[in-house]
Amino acid sequence: MNIERLMLRDFRNYEQAELALAPGVNVFCGENAQGKTNILESVGLLSAMRLFRSAQKRDAIRFGAPQAEAEAEFWAEKRRMHVRAVIPSSGRMQLTVNGVRQKRLSDGAGLLRSVLFCPEDLTLVREGAAARRRFVDVALSQLRPNYARCLTEYARLHESKLRILRDAEEKPSLLDALDDFSLRMSMVGGHIVRYRAYYVRALMQRARVIHAAISGRDEALDCDYRTVSSVTDPFASAKDIGAQLWAHACAHRAAELAAKSCLSGPHRDDLALTIGGQSAKAFASQGQVRTCALSLKLAERDLFFDDSGEYPVLLLDDVLSELDGRRQDFVLNRIESGQVLITCCEPEKLAQVRGGRLFTVQGGTVRACG
């Protein structure tokens, strides 16, 4: 997978930018707050249909502009593709693929595949469950477009059910629809749980090997995918899992009404990571946490390759400065194949990376060097 051209208009701090990218390593160098990360975020948006630094897509619109635009021309599976996203100041994001307007954003997920590794990912192990769910969801939405559609529907159902629970005291008639929403959430949730279970199993098979190579120690990395307690087998059929989720929702109906919150469902899933049999979140050292996070992200990249035979675009956002020399070397030695976009403040740290293209970034302006 290879982005040839990336175009931005009124995106973050870019009034207009057009970049011709090398098929290998592309380094974006500049001081902080000049716009380096914004370039990577535009690629992430075109990949996963979301911003990785904000839940609100409108945040990507340059101050005073009516809308933000990002588009890319790239090769994927021997096909030339063109994807364009428009974020208006009011209304939903619009997506065009090869000139055809898409009805759903999920239809564009996974066309341009990317894996992001940023400093925030180094705290993935110690953050709350939402961060680990997001890590899985972003990757799976690209690998399996149907998962993205399930996730979108589930989020819409969850929002509607929350509204019913919160407003039912003043409008009791809303409760007539509560069970319908709970049932549909359970059925869609069955697909989500099953997708996650298979993905986490494949991810950990890769991550354990990578973790052993980085750490050089006899510290096995492992993970327990934790979903709703009524689910006895997350690898069962989506129908069976959905039935178990529905039973759990029914048993917790009164508690949800009292709490005015959705207490049951895969929106509360988590990944319990362990190193050497102990909780990584509770007991891992800072070095162990970084090795664990690095292993997960590199394993994610390998799974994309296993699925399509092509490496996704690897986005490294100033992450090398957060790693020690040994971990830097490990990352750099694994990016010989595939396209890579790296941001940094000190390009001399990338002296061992040969070839590619260097860009300087200053005040929302990008210039190619040489």
Side-chain angles (χ1 to χ4, degrees):
M1 189 159 290
N2 173 30
I3 301 175
E4 292 186 338
R5 292 174 64 245
L6 180 68
M7 290 77 73
L8 306 178
R9 299 179 190 86
D10 294 319
F11 188 94
R12 292 291 192 182
N13 68 329
Y14 289 96
E15 181 177 1
Q16 186 164 338
E18 182 171 339
L19 308 178
L21 301 178
V25 178
N26 297 267
V27 179
F28 297 91
C29 184
E31 299 296 325
N32 291 327
Q34 298 304 304
K36 303 187 300 296
T37 299
N38 297 339
I39 296 170
L40 273 57
E41 190 168 41
S42 70
V43 176
L45 175 70
L46 294 170
S47 299
M49 304 297 122
R50 65 174 71 185
L51 299 171
F52 62 74
R53 290 185 296 172
S54 172
Q56 299 296 323
K57 295 184 178 70
R58 291 191 297 272
D59 292 343
I61 302 174
R62 191 172 65 89
F63 183 75
Q67 63 183 33
E69 301 176 38
E71 56 185 301
E73 294 178 1
F74 60 97
W75 285 91
E77 298 181 357
K78 299 181 180 179
R79 293 184 300 163
R80 190 177 183 85
M81 303 287 293
H82 180 273
V83 175
R84 178 173 181 261
V86 177
I87 304 173
S89 56
S90 60
R92 297 177 65 251
M93 184 174 113
Q94 304 161 13
L95 183 70
T96 303
V97 177
N98 294 337
V100 178
R101 174 79 175 271
Q102 303 298 297
K103 293 181 180 180
R104 300 171 298 191
L105 295 182
S106 57
D107 292 337
L111 296 177
L112 172 60
R113 293 180 171 184
S114 68
V115 170
L116 168 72
F117 191 22
C118 61
E120 289 76 15
D121 289 323
L122 294 170
T123 61
L124 177 69
V125 178
R126 290 215 168 104
E127 286 189 8
R132 289 180 287 279
R133 284 195 303 273
R134 186 169 57 249
F135 162 64
V136 171
D137 288 345
V138 170
L140 256 176
S141 293
Q142 296 182 67
L143 282 169
R144 299 291 180 263
N146 191 52
Y147 178 81
R149 287 188 280 271
C150 289
L151 208 60
T152 299
E153 182 180 359
Y154 188 90
R156 187 167 57 246
L157 292 165
H158 180 248
E159 183 179 350
S160 297
K161 182 177 175 179
L162 270 180
R163 197 176 301 120
I164 291 173
L165 291 169
R166 291 170 180 171
D167 297 343
E169 190 172 343
E170 295 182 4
K171 301 177 181 179
S173 61
L174 291 174
L175 292 177
D176 295 340
L178 179 61
D179 289 343
D180 291 336
F181 278 100
S182 294
L183 177 59
R184 183 58 187 165
M185 280 179 68
S186 298
M187 296 303 103
V188 176
H191 291 280
I192 291 173
V193 169
R194 190 169 188 270
Y195 272 119
R196 285 176 176 171
Y198 276 98
Y199 176 75
V200 171
R201 184 170 69 179
L203 180 77
M204 293 312 299
Q205 287 173 348
R206 286 284 190 169
R208 290 187 195 98
V209 176
I210 296 172
H211 183 270
I214 301 175
S215 66
R217 300 179 183 177
D218 186 19
E219 296 178 337
L221 173 65
D222 212 338
C223 176
D224 179 25
Y225 168 47
R226 294 181 177 174
T227 187
V228 178
S229 59
S230 62
V231 177
T232 57
D233 180 10
F235 299 98
S237 70
K239 182 179 179 180
D240 288 345
I241 297 171
Q244 293 172 343
L245 292 176
W246 170 235
H248 196 270
C250 290
H252 288 76
R253 188 179 192 274
E256 290 188 332
L257 285 169
K260 298 182 179 182
S261 181
C262 298
L263 303 177
S264 174
H267 57 280
R268 301 170 68 88
D269 286 357
D270 196 5
L271 305 182
L273 295 159
T274 59
I275 299 175
Q278 290 190 317
S279 167
K281 183 176 181 178
F283 299 108
S285 67
Q286 188 63 22
Q288 288 174 319
V289 165
R290 294 189 176 201
T291 299
C292 179
L294 180 56
S295 301
L296 292 173
K297 298 303 293 190
L298 293 178
E300 178 187 348
R301 182 176 185 247
D302 286 349
L303 285 186
F304 276 83
F305 181 82
D306 292 344
D307 185 69
S308 66
E310 294 181 336
Y311 281 109
V313 179
L314 180 61
L315 310 174
L316 298 177
D317 184 23
D318 198 29
V319 74
L320 296 180
S321 62
E322 300 291 332
L323 299 173
D324 59 30
R326 181 166 56 86
R327 292 181 179 87
Q328 284 184 20
D329 291 343
F330 193 89
V331 172
L332 295 176
N333 288 334
R334 294 180 69 91
I335 62 175
E336 295 179 352
S337 300
Q339 188 176 48
V340 186
L341 277 60
I342 304 178
T343 68
C344 71
C345 297
E346 302 167 316
E348 60 271 13
K349 289 188 176 182
L350 300 170
Q352 66 194 90
V353 178
R354 297 180 180 179
R357 190 164 297 167
L358 174 65
F359 298 86
T360 59
V361 182
Q362 184 175 10
T365 300
V366 186
R367 293 186 175 85
C369 300

